[in-house]
Amino acid sequence: MLEEIIIAGFGGQGIMVMGRLLAHAGMVEGRNVSWIPSYGPEMRGGTANCCVVISSDPIGSPVVAEPDTVIAMNRPSLEKFAPSIKPSGLLIYNSSLIDIVPERQDITVIAVRASGIASELGDIRAANMVALGAYLRARGVVSREAVVDSIRAVMPKLSQSLIDLNVKALDKGMDIAGDQLMISESIS
Amino acid sequence: MSERLLMKGNEAVGEAAIRAGCRLFFGYPITPQNEIPEYMSRRLPEVGGVFLQAESEIAAINMVYGAAGAGARVMTSSSSPGISLKMEGISYIAGAELPCVIVNMVRGGPGLGGIQPAQSDYFQATKGGGHGDYRMLVLAPASVQEMADCTADAFELADKYRNPVMVLGDGALGQMMEPVTFSKPPVSVSELPPKPWATTGARGRAPNIVNSLHLENEELEKLNLRLEAKYRRMKSEDVRAEVIDCDDADVILVAYGTMSRVCRSAANMARSAGLRVGIVRPITLFPFPSEILSELAKKGVPFLVVELSLGQMVEDVKLAVNGASPVQFYGRTGGFLPTPKEILARMESVLKDRSQAPCGAVPER
């Protein structure tokens, strides 16, 4: 099994943490994993993306050119990376901030109101976890439990109440993706 | 302890150095290696070591010179422009025959260049870099695990040869995270073999002198010949390379570090398309795995050398192959990493042009 993921958004949206949680969860489940950030002079507010590879075999390039999955948290990220998704791949996008509808018909598209849902849960910063939850449900490459177990390792300074909020956001994202996948299956 | 930890390459270098008995780190910040000094600044005080941010790279390398002369396991790290600044000191350290570890997380150049990954410091690392007839032993890891393993080995090799050893990574290897396991128990500093040549205070014994100045011709030539013998010994005892599927290959890729990872992906793609692709991945860049390449070249199989430069290691490949088979080159610069598809396309054209391709043609883009 080989899953190549690009996660993108703007700095401060927790893009890097999403990737690290996925990579750590993959490692916990005994896979080979790699995580590589785009690193540039920009900090908060600039564009940020990272590539995650989860594989049962040794990993070649850690930089992903044609992803199986793209998680786009803002519009420039969607425009930049959606065209590179492999046919029958997966696109998850933050429809709270992205006001266009992806054009591709050959991939699975899941719209998640990630920022809106996170705000409703009490902290917009948990938008990344909503999107990550949607990914977990849609792809099933790593388990929810492995991701939850990884939260403490990846973010050791997080308080228990923030961990609970993150888990709640993750579960909400899983529910939404589940609903959307069920609808699209019943249509097709 | 065999727990898998998810670490950045830079952090793995830091932890491996401490486990290898390094208690002194001198450096100056530069992207993309800042996680190394950051890690050392946190961890070294915990183990009774010293982290010192010097006023410049030049100061840092001369602190390394001093600490190495006193017999300590010592390390500095930087990235390309900073390594250039260290070159005078490295030449002195090589001349004084002192062991130390220097890490270069290469970024694009020349000059200040950029901060993205590159392999354009191959010449500087393997051909001297500073003045005088000297070499560093150069290790080129290709994963976070190897960043740790090569750093640990670098300290052993430095002591074995009383010579500076360079770990040559790049921005991608430094910034990426992968699982890493530290399987060996940490080295006990007090149990390291003694260094009777070190300047540790001459009470009760004749003074030791650590120096690279030899004004008598006879003395200097003696040093030069001793160094040469040392480099010959490196070539016979410490060449390392990974050779993958070369036995019946139609084409053999030669790449190191990050670039070898992309070549691995390209080779997997090529195999599913029916091409037989081998890979030679030098792990020591000096000493270079020339014999492995010259042996493979006897079959006449074409080589495609792929680097994040406009062609540096390719010269060593050509020297090794010595005209026995065609050697072509593909490189990207500026911080770009070629995609596996790009390399696959180059492989296909190497095979198509096999008979008429000039050796080492630079690709058009």
Side-chain angles (χ1 to χ4, degrees), chain B residues 339-361:
Chain B
T339 62
K341 266 193 178 164
E342 255 177 281
I343 298 169
L344 182 61
R346 290 301 304 175
M347 277 191 272
E348 281 164 348
S349 81
V350 165
L351 287 170
K352 213 165 70 186
D353 310 343
R354 192 173 165 177
S355 49
Q356 66 262 38
C359 283

mmCIF file with all atom_site columns, all heavy atoms in Angstrom, chain B residues 339-361:
data_model
loop_
_atom_site.group_PDB
_atom_site.id
_atom_site.type_symbol
_atom_site.label_atom_id
_atom_site.label_alt_id
_atom_site.label_comp_id
_atom_site.label_asym_id
_atom_site.label_entity_id
_atom_site.label_seq_id
_atom_site.pdbx_PDB_ins_code
_atom_site.Cartn_x
_atom_site.Cartn_y
_atom_site.Cartn_z
_atom_site.occupancy
_atom_site.B_iso_or_equiv
_atom_site.pdbx_formal_charge
_atom_site.auth_seq_id
_atom_site.auth_comp_id
_atom_site.auth_asym_id
_atom_site.auth_atom_id
_atom_site.pdbx_PDB_model_num
ATOM 1   N N   . THR B 1 339 ? 10.887 15.315 -10.564 1.00 0.00 ? 339 THR B N   1
ATOM 2   C CA  . THR B 1 339 ? 9.871  14.312 -10.242 1.00 0.00 ? 339 THR B CA  1
ATOM 3   C C   . THR B 1 339 ? 10.352 12.962 -10.772 1.00 0.00 ? 339 THR B C   1
ATOM 4   O O   . THR B 1 339 ? 11.174 12.906 -11.694 1.00 0.00 ? 339 THR B O   1
ATOM 5   C CB  . THR B 1 339 ? 8.529  14.656 -10.898 1.00 0.00 ? 339 THR B CB  1
ATOM 6   O OG1 . THR B 1 339 ? 8.713  14.652 -12.320 1.00 0.00 ? 339 THR B OG1 1
ATOM 7   C CG2 . THR B 1 339 ? 8.029  16.016 -10.453 1.00 0.00 ? 339 THR B CG2 1
ATOM 8   N N   . PRO B 1 340 ? 9.814  11.869 -10.216 1.00 0.00 ? 340 PRO B N   1
ATOM 9   C CA  . PRO B 1 340 ? 10.173 10.546 -10.744 1.00 0.00 ? 340 PRO B CA  1
ATOM 10  C C   . PRO B 1 340 ? 9.899  10.442 -12.253 1.00 0.00 ? 340 PRO B C   1
ATOM 11  O O   . PRO B 1 340 ? 10.683 9.832  -12.985 1.00 0.00 ? 340 PRO B O   1
ATOM 12  C CB  . PRO B 1 340 ? 9.270  9.600  -9.951  1.00 0.00 ? 340 PRO B CB  1
ATOM 13  C CG  . PRO B 1 340 ? 9.020  10.309 -8.654  1.00 0.00 ? 340 PRO B CG  1
ATOM 14  C CD  . PRO B 1 340 ? 8.972  11.768 -9.004  1.00 0.00 ? 340 PRO B CD  1
ATOM 15  N N   . LYS B 1 341 ? 8.814  11.087 -12.722 1.00 0.00 ? 341 LYS B N   1
ATOM 16  C CA  . LYS B 1 341 ? 8.482  11.030 -14.154 1.00 0.00 ? 341 LYS B CA  1
ATOM 17  C C   . LYS B 1 341 ? 9.567  11.674 -15.023 1.00 0.00 ? 341 LYS B C   1
ATOM 18  O O   . LYS B 1 341 ? 9.864  11.205 -16.112 1.00 0.00 ? 341 LYS B O   1
ATOM 19  C CB  . LYS B 1 341 ? 7.148  11.736 -14.406 1.00 0.00 ? 341 LYS B CB  1
ATOM 20  C CG  . LYS B 1 341 ? 5.971  10.803 -14.388 1.00 0.00 ? 341 LYS B CG  1
ATOM 21  C CD  . LYS B 1 341 ? 4.727  11.479 -14.941 1.00 0.00 ? 341 LYS B CD  1
ATOM 22  C CE  . LYS B 1 341 ? 3.561  10.500 -14.963 1.00 0.00 ? 341 LYS B CE  1
ATOM 23  N NZ  . LYS B 1 341 ? 2.276  11.187 -15.135 1.00 0.00 ? 341 LYS B NZ  1
ATOM 24  N N   . GLU B 1 342 ? 10.112 12.785 -14.517 1.00 0.00 ? 342 GLU B N   1
ATOM 25  C CA  . GLU B 1 342 ? 11.197 13.449 -15.244 1.00 0.00 ? 342 GLU B CA  1
ATOM 26  C C   . GLU B 1 342 ? 12.379 12.499 -15.424 1.00 0.00 ? 342 GLU B C   1
ATOM 27  O O   . GLU B 1 342 ? 12.984 12.437 -16.493 1.00 0.00 ? 342 GLU B O   1
ATOM 28  C CB  . GLU B 1 342 ? 11.693 14.645 -14.414 1.00 0.00 ? 342 GLU B CB  1
ATOM 29  C CG  . GLU B 1 342 ? 11.276 16.022 -14.895 1.00 0.00 ? 342 GLU B CG  1
ATOM 30  C CD  . GLU B 1 342 ? 11.776 17.098 -13.930 1.00 0.00 ? 342 GLU B CD  1
ATOM 31  O OE1 . GLU B 1 342 ? 11.130 17.282 -12.876 1.00 0.00 ? 342 GLU B OE1 1
ATOM 32  O OE2 . GLU B 1 342 ? 12.800 17.734 -14.213 1.00 0.00 ? 342 GLU B OE2 1
ATOM 33  N N   . ILE B 1 343 ? 12.716 11.786 -14.358 1.00 0.00 ? 343 ILE B N   1
ATOM 34  C CA  . ILE B 1 343 ? 13.864 10.874 -14.423 1.00 0.00 ? 343 ILE B CA  1
ATOM 35  C C   . ILE B 1 343 ? 13.543 9.692  -15.331 1.00 0.00 ? 343 ILE B C   1
ATOM 36  O O   . ILE B 1 343 ? 14.386 9.254  -16.114 1.00 0.00 ? 343 ILE B O   1
ATOM 37  C CB  . ILE B 1 343 ? 14.247 10.400 -13.006 1.00 0.00 ? 343 ILE B CB  1
ATOM 38  C CG1 . ILE B 1 343 ? 14.672 11.620 -12.177 1.00 0.00 ? 343 ILE B CG1 1
ATOM 39  C CG2 . ILE B 1 343 ? 15.369 9.376  -13.047 1.00 0.00 ? 343 ILE B CG2 1
ATOM 40  C CD1 . ILE B 1 343 ? 14.821 11.343 -10.700 1.00 0.00 ? 343 ILE B CD1 1
ATOM 41  N N   . LEU B 1 344 ? 12.304 9.210  -15.242 1.00 0.00 ? 344 LEU B N   1
ATOM 42  C CA  . LEU B 1 344 ? 11.878 8.112  -16.103 1.00 0.00 ? 344 LEU B CA  1
ATOM 43  C C   . LEU B 1 344 ? 12.035 8.513  -17.576 1.00 0.00 ? 344 LEU B C   1
ATOM 44  O O   . LEU B 1 344 ? 12.548 7.738  -18.394 1.00 0.00 ? 344 LEU B O   1
ATOM 45  C CB  . LEU B 1 344 ? 10.414 7.756  -15.795 1.00 0.00 ? 344 LEU B CB  1
ATOM 46  C CG  . LEU B 1 344 ? 9.822  6.596  -16.577 1.00 0.00 ? 344 LEU B CG  1
ATOM 47  C CD1 . LEU B 1 344 ? 10.586 5.307  -16.304 1.00 0.00 ? 344 LEU B CD1 1
ATOM 48  C CD2 . LEU B 1 344 ? 8.343  6.402  -16.230 1.00 0.00 ? 344 LEU B CD2 1
ATOM 49  N N   . ALA B 1 345 ? 11.619 9.728  -17.906 1.00 0.00 ? 345 ALA B N   1
ATOM 50  C CA  . ALA B 1 345 ? 11.741 10.212 -19.291 1.00 0.00 ? 345 ALA B CA  1
ATOM 51  C C   . ALA B 1 345 ? 13.207 10.239 -19.718 1.00 0.00 ? 345 ALA B C   1
ATOM 52  O O   . ALA B 1 345 ? 13.548 9.868  -20.844 1.00 0.00 ? 345 ALA B O   1
ATOM 53  C CB  . ALA B 1 345 ? 11.111 11.594 -19.416 1.00 0.00 ? 345 ALA B CB  1
ATOM 54  N N   . ARG B 1 346 ? 14.097 10.674 -18.836 1.00 0.00 ? 346 ARG B N   1
ATOM 55  C CA  . ARG B 1 346 ? 15.526 10.705 -19.156 1.00 0.00 ? 346 ARG B CA  1
ATOM 56  C C   . ARG B 1 346 ? 16.059 9.291  -19.369 1.00 0.00 ? 346 ARG B C   1
ATOM 57  O O   . ARG B 1 346 ? 16.864 9.049  -20.259 1.00 0.00 ? 346 ARG B O   1
ATOM 58  C CB  . ARG B 1 346 ? 16.327 11.381 -18.044 1.00 0.00 ? 346 ARG B CB  1
ATOM 59  C CG  . ARG B 1 346 ? 16.098 12.873 -17.934 1.00 0.00 ? 346 ARG B CG  1
ATOM 60  C CD  . ARG B 1 346 ? 16.454 13.612 -19.195 1.00 0.00 ? 346 ARG B CD  1
ATOM 61  N NE  . ARG B 1 346 ? 17.833 13.362 -19.628 1.00 0.00 ? 346 ARG B NE  1
ATOM 62  C CZ  . ARG B 1 346 ? 18.351 13.816 -20.746 1.00 0.00 ? 346 ARG B CZ  1
ATOM 63  N NH1 . ARG B 1 346 ? 17.609 14.530 -21.583 1.00 0.00 ? 346 ARG B NH1 1
ATOM 64  N NH2 . ARG B 1 346 ? 19.599 13.559 -21.053 1.00 0.00 ? 346 ARG B NH2 1
ATOM 65  N N   . MET B 1 347 ? 15.601 8.361  -18.534 1.00 0.00 ? 347 MET B N   1
ATOM 66  C CA  . MET B 1 347 ? 16.059 6.965  -18.682 1.00 0.00 ? 347 MET B CA  1
ATOM 67  C C   . MET B 1 347 ? 15.653 6.425  -20.036 1.00 0.00 ? 347 MET B C   1
ATOM 68  O O   . MET B 1 347 ? 16.430 5.754  -20.706 1.00 0.00 ? 347 MET B O   1
ATOM 69  C CB  . MET B 1 347 ? 15.418 6.090  -17.593 1.00 0.00 ? 347 MET B CB  1
ATOM 70  C CG  . MET B 1 347 ? 16.126 6.115  -16.274 1.00 0.00 ? 347 MET B CG  1
ATOM 71  S SD  . MET B 1 347 ? 15.473 4.822  -15.218 1.00 0.00 ? 347 MET B SD  1
ATOM 72  C CE  . MET B 1 347 ? 14.124 5.657  -14.439 1.00 0.00 ? 347 MET B CE  1
ATOM 73  N N   . GLU B 1 348 ? 14.415 6.732  -20.426 1.00 0.00 ? 348 GLU B N   1
ATOM 74  C CA  . GLU B 1 348 ? 13.932 6.226  -21.708 1.00 0.00 ? 348 GLU B CA  1
ATOM 75  C C   . GLU B 1 348 ? 14.752 6.795  -22.858 1.00 0.00 ? 348 GLU B C   1
ATOM 76  O O   . GLU B 1 348 ? 15.071 6.097  -23.811 1.00 0.00 ? 348 GLU B O   1
ATOM 77  C CB  . GLU B 1 348 ? 12.438 6.550  -21.870 1.00 0.00 ? 348 GLU B CB  1
ATOM 78  C CG  . GLU B 1 348 ? 11.589 5.564  -21.070 1.00 0.00 ? 348 GLU B CG  1
ATOM 79  C CD  . GLU B 1 348 ? 10.152 6.018  -20.857 1.00 0.00 ? 348 GLU B CD  1
ATOM 80  O OE1 . GLU B 1 348 ? 9.859  7.208  -21.128 1.00 0.00 ? 348 GLU B OE1 1
ATOM 81  O OE2 . GLU B 1 348 ? 9.347  5.190  -20.384 1.00 0.00 ? 348 GLU B OE2 1
ATOM 82  N N   . SER B 1 349 ? 15.138 8.074  -22.735 1.00 0.00 ? 349 SER B N   1
ATOM 83  C CA  . SER B 1 349 ? 15.926 8.650  -23.834 1.00 0.00 ? 349 SER B CA  1
ATOM 84  C C   . SER B 1 349 ? 17.359 8.111  -23.811 1.00 0.00 ? 349 SER B C   1
ATOM 85  O O   . SER B 1 349 ? 17.974 7.961  -24.860 1.00 0.00 ? 349 SER B O   1
ATOM 86  C CB  . SER B 1 349 ? 15.880 10.184 -23.805 1.00 0.00 ? 349 SER B CB  1
ATOM 87  O OG  . SER B 1 349 ? 16.780 10.686 -22.869 1.00 0.00 ? 349 SER B OG  1
ATOM 88  N N   . VAL B 1 350 ? 17.871 7.788  -22.622 1.00 0.00 ? 350 VAL B N   1
ATOM 89  C CA  . VAL B 1 350 ? 19.206 7.168  -22.558 1.00 0.00 ? 350 VAL B CA  1
ATOM 90  C C   . VAL B 1 350 ? 19.182 5.843  -23.311 1.00 0.00 ? 350 VAL B C   1
ATOM 91  O O   . VAL B 1 350 ? 20.083 5.536  -24.095 1.00 0.00 ? 350 VAL B O   1
ATOM 92  C CB  . VAL B 1 350 ? 19.630 6.932  -21.091 1.00 0.00 ? 350 VAL B CB  1
ATOM 93  C CG1 . VAL B 1 350 ? 20.814 5.970  -21.008 1.00 0.00 ? 350 VAL B CG1 1
ATOM 94  C CG2 . VAL B 1 350 ? 19.978 8.242  -20.415 1.00 0.00 ? 350 VAL B CG2 1
ATOM 95  N N   . LEU B 1 351 ? 18.112 5.071  -23.108 1.00 0.00 ? 351 LEU B N   1
ATOM 96  C CA  . LEU B 1 351 ? 18.036 3.767  -23.756 1.00 0.00 ? 351 LEU B CA  1
ATOM 97  C C   . LEU B 1 351 ? 17.829 3.905  -25.260 1.00 0.00 ? 351 LEU B C   1
ATOM 98  O O   . LEU B 1 351 ? 18.378 3.147  -26.046 1.00 0.00 ? 351 LEU B O   1
ATOM 99  C CB  . LEU B 1 351 ? 16.900 2.949  -23.131 1.00 0.00 ? 351 LEU B CB  1
ATOM 100 C CG  . LEU B 1 351 ? 17.234 2.434  -21.735 1.00 0.00 ? 351 LEU B CG  1
ATOM 101 C CD1 . LEU B 1 351 ? 16.007 1.852  -21.064 1.00 0.00 ? 351 LEU B CD1 1
ATOM 102 C CD2 . LEU B 1 351 ? 18.354 1.387  -21.813 1.00 0.00 ? 351 LEU B CD2 1
ATOM 103 N N   . LYS B 1 352 ? 17.041 4.924  -25.639 1.00 0.00 ? 352 LYS B N   1
ATOM 104 C CA  . LYS B 1 352 ? 16.770 5.133  -27.060 1.00 0.00 ? 352 LYS B CA  1
ATOM 105 C C   . LYS B 1 352 ? 18.046 5.561  -27.796 1.00 0.00 ? 352 LYS B C   1
ATOM 106 O O   . LYS B 1 352 ? 18.335 5.077  -28.880 1.00 0.00 ? 352 LYS B O   1
ATOM 107 C CB  . LYS B 1 352 ? 15.674 6.194  -27.219 1.00 0.00 ? 352 LYS B CB  1
ATOM 108 C CG  . LYS B 1 352 ? 14.787 5.954  -28.434 1.00 0.00 ? 352 LYS B CG  1
ATOM 109 C CD  . LYS B 1 352 ? 13.506 6.774  -28.372 1.00 0.00 ? 352 LYS B CD  1
ATOM 110 C CE  . LYS B 1 352 ? 13.790 8.259  -28.571 1.00 0.00 ? 352 LYS B CE  1
ATOM 111 N NZ  . LYS B 1 352 ? 12.570 9.076  -28.380 1.00 0.00 ? 352 LYS B NZ  1
ATOM 112 N N   . ASP B 1 353 ? 18.790 6.481  -27.152 1.00 0.00 ? 353 ASP B N   1
ATOM 113 C CA  . ASP B 1 353 ? 19.993 7.021  -27.807 1.00 0.00 ? 353 ASP B CA  1
ATOM 114 C C   . ASP B 1 353 ? 21.226 6.198  -27.512 1.00 0.00 ? 353 ASP B C   1
ATOM 115 O O   . ASP B 1 353 ? 22.332 6.641  -27.752 1.00 0.00 ? 353 ASP B O   1
ATOM 116 C CB  . ASP B 1 353 ? 20.293 8.447  -27.313 1.00 0.00 ? 353 ASP B CB  1
ATOM 117 C CG  . ASP B 1 353 ? 19.089 9.338  -27.370 1.00 0.00 ? 353 ASP B CG  1
ATOM 118 O OD1 . ASP B 1 353 ? 18.138 8.949  -28.080 1.00 0.00 ? 353 ASP B OD1 1
ATOM 119 O OD2 . ASP B 1 353 ? 19.092 10.379 -26.716 1.00 0.00 ? 353 ASP B OD2 1
ATOM 120 N N   . ARG B 1 354 ? 21.040 5.021  -26.950 1.00 0.00 ? 354 ARG B N   1
ATOM 121 C CA  . ARG B 1 354 ? 22.160 4.298  -26.373 1.00 0.00 ? 354 ARG B CA  1
ATOM 122 C C   . ARG B 1 354 ? 23.375 4.263  -27.282 1.00 0.00 ? 354 ARG B C   1
ATOM 123 O O   . ARG B 1 354 ? 24.503 4.466  -26.854 1.00 0.00 ? 354 ARG B O   1
ATOM 124 C CB  . ARG B 1 354 ? 21.722 2.886  -26.030 1.00 0.00 ? 354 ARG B CB  1
ATOM 125 C CG  . ARG B 1 354 ? 22.752 2.213  -25.182 1.00 0.00 ? 354 ARG B CG  1
ATOM 126 C CD  . ARG B 1 354 ? 22.280 0.888  -24.698 1.00 0.00 ? 354 ARG B CD  1
ATOM 127 N NE  . ARG B 1 354 ? 23.461 0.194  -24.205 1.00 0.00 ? 354 ARG B NE  1
ATOM 128 C CZ  . ARG B 1 354 ? 23.462 -0.974 -23.649 1.00 0.00 ? 354 ARG B CZ  1
ATOM 129 N NH1 . ARG B 1 354 ? 22.324 -1.600 -23.502 1.00 0.00 ? 354 ARG B NH1 1
ATOM 130 N NH2 . ARG B 1 354 ? 24.563 -1.519 -23.242 1.00 0.00 ? 354 ARG B NH2 1
ATOM 131 N N   . SER B 1 355 ? 23.137 4.018  -28.567 1.00 0.00 ? 355 SER B N   1
ATOM 132 C CA  . SER B 1 355 ? 24.289 3.882  -29.449 1.00 0.00 ? 355 SER B CA  1
ATOM 133 C C   . SER B 1 355 ? 24.932 5.220  -29.805 1.00 0.00 ? 355 SER B C   1
ATOM 134 O O   . SER B 1 355 ? 26.144 5.332  -29.869 1.00 0.00 ? 355 SER B O   1
ATOM 135 C CB  . SER B 1 355 ? 23.872 3.139  -30.724 1.00 0.00 ? 355 SER B CB  1
ATOM 136 O OG  . SER B 1 355 ? 22.699 3.741  -31.223 1.00 0.00 ? 355 SER B OG  1
ATOM 137 N N   . GLN B 1 356 ? 24.100 6.263  -30.012 1.00 0.00 ? 356 GLN B N   1
ATOM 138 C CA  . GLN B 1 356 ? 24.701 7.496  -30.522 1.00 0.00 ? 356 GLN B CA  1
ATOM 139 C C   . GLN B 1 356 ? 24.924 8.588  -29.483 1.00 0.00 ? 356 GLN B C   1
ATOM 140 O O   . GLN B 1 356 ? 25.477 9.630  -29.797 1.00 0.00 ? 356 GLN B O   1
ATOM 141 C CB  . GLN B 1 356 ? 23.865 8.073  -31.689 1.00 0.00 ? 356 GLN B CB  1
ATOM 142 C CG  . GLN B 1 356 ? 22.477 8.573  -31.328 1.00 0.00 ? 356 GLN B CG  1
ATOM 143 C CD  . GLN B 1 356 ? 21.411 7.538  -31.625 1.00 0.00 ? 356 GLN B CD  1
ATOM 144 O OE1 . GLN B 1 356 ? 21.635 6.357  -31.426 1.00 0.00 ? 356 GLN B OE1 1
ATOM 145 N NE2 . GLN B 1 356 ? 20.264 7.957  -32.103 1.00 0.00 ? 356 GLN B NE2 1
ATOM 146 N N   . ALA B 1 357 ? 24.486 8.342  -28.218 1.00 0.00 ? 357 ALA B N   1
ATOM 147 C CA  . ALA B 1 357 ? 24.588 9.421  -27.228 1.00 0.00 ? 357 ALA B CA  1
ATOM 148 C C   . ALA B 1 357 ? 26.036 9.724  -26.888 1.00 0.00 ? 357 ALA B C   1
ATOM 149 O O   . ALA B 1 357 ? 26.816 8.816  -26.627 1.00 0.00 ? 357 ALA B O   1
ATOM 150 C CB  . ALA B 1 357 ? 23.852 9.022  -25.963 1.00 0.00 ? 357 ALA B CB  1
ATOM 151 N N   . PRO B 1 358 ? 26.420 11.002 -26.909 1.00 0.00 ? 358 PRO B N   1
ATOM 152 C CA  . PRO B 1 358 ? 27.760 11.345 -26.438 1.00 0.00 ? 358 PRO B CA  1
ATOM 153 C C   . PRO B 1 358 ? 27.811 11.155 -24.932 1.00 0.00 ? 358 PRO B C   1
ATOM 154 O O   . PRO B 1 358 ? 26.807 11.329 -24.249 1.00 0.00 ? 358 PRO B O   1
ATOM 155 C CB  . PRO B 1 358 ? 27.901 12.826 -26.807 1.00 0.00 ? 358 PRO B CB  1
ATOM 156 C CG  . PRO B 1 358 ? 26.495 13.337 -26.895 1.00 0.00 ? 358 PRO B CG  1
ATOM 157 C CD  . PRO B 1 358 ? 25.627 12.171 -27.286 1.00 0.00 ? 358 PRO B CD  1
ATOM 158 N N   . CYS B 1 359 ? 28.981 10.761 -24.435 1.00 0.00 ? 359 CYS B N   1
ATOM 159 C CA  . CYS B 1 359 ? 29.107 10.546 -23.002 1.00 0.00 ? 359 CYS B CA  1
ATOM 160 C C   . CYS B 1 359 ? 28.855 11.839 -22.249 1.00 0.00 ? 359 CYS B C   1
ATOM 161 O O   . CYS B 1 359 ? 29.411 12.879 -22.577 1.00 0.00 ? 359 CYS B O   1
ATOM 162 C CB  . CYS B 1 359 ? 30.504 10.026 -22.658 1.00 0.00 ? 359 CYS B CB  1
ATOM 163 S SG  . CYS B 1 359 ? 30.678 8.299  -23.067 1.00 0.00 ? 359 CYS B SG  1
ATOM 164 N N   . GLY B 1 360 ? 27.996 11.773 -21.250 1.00 0.00 ? 360 GLY B N   1
ATOM 165 C CA  . GLY B 1 360 ? 27.810 12.902 -20.348 1.00 0.00 ? 360 GLY B CA  1
ATOM 166 C C   . GLY B 1 360 ? 27.141 14.102 -20.969 1.00 0.00 ? 360 GLY B C   1
ATOM 167 O O   . GLY B 1 360 ? 27.410 15.241 -20.603 1.00 0.00 ? 360 GLY B O   1
ATOM 168 N N   . ALA B 1 361 ? 26.256 13.858 -21.946 1.00 0.00 ? 361 ALA B N   1
ATOM 169 C CA  . ALA B 1 361 ? 25.557 14.991 -22.551 1.00 0.00 ? 361 ALA B CA  1
ATOM 170 C C   . ALA B 1 361 ? 24.724 15.721 -21.504 1.00 0.00 ? 361 ALA B C   1
ATOM 171 O O   . ALA B 1 361 ? 24.072 15.098 -20.682 1.00 0.00 ? 361 ALA B O   1
ATOM 172 C CB  . ALA B 1 361 ? 24.660 14.501 -23.673 1.00 0.00 ? 361 ALA B CB  1
#
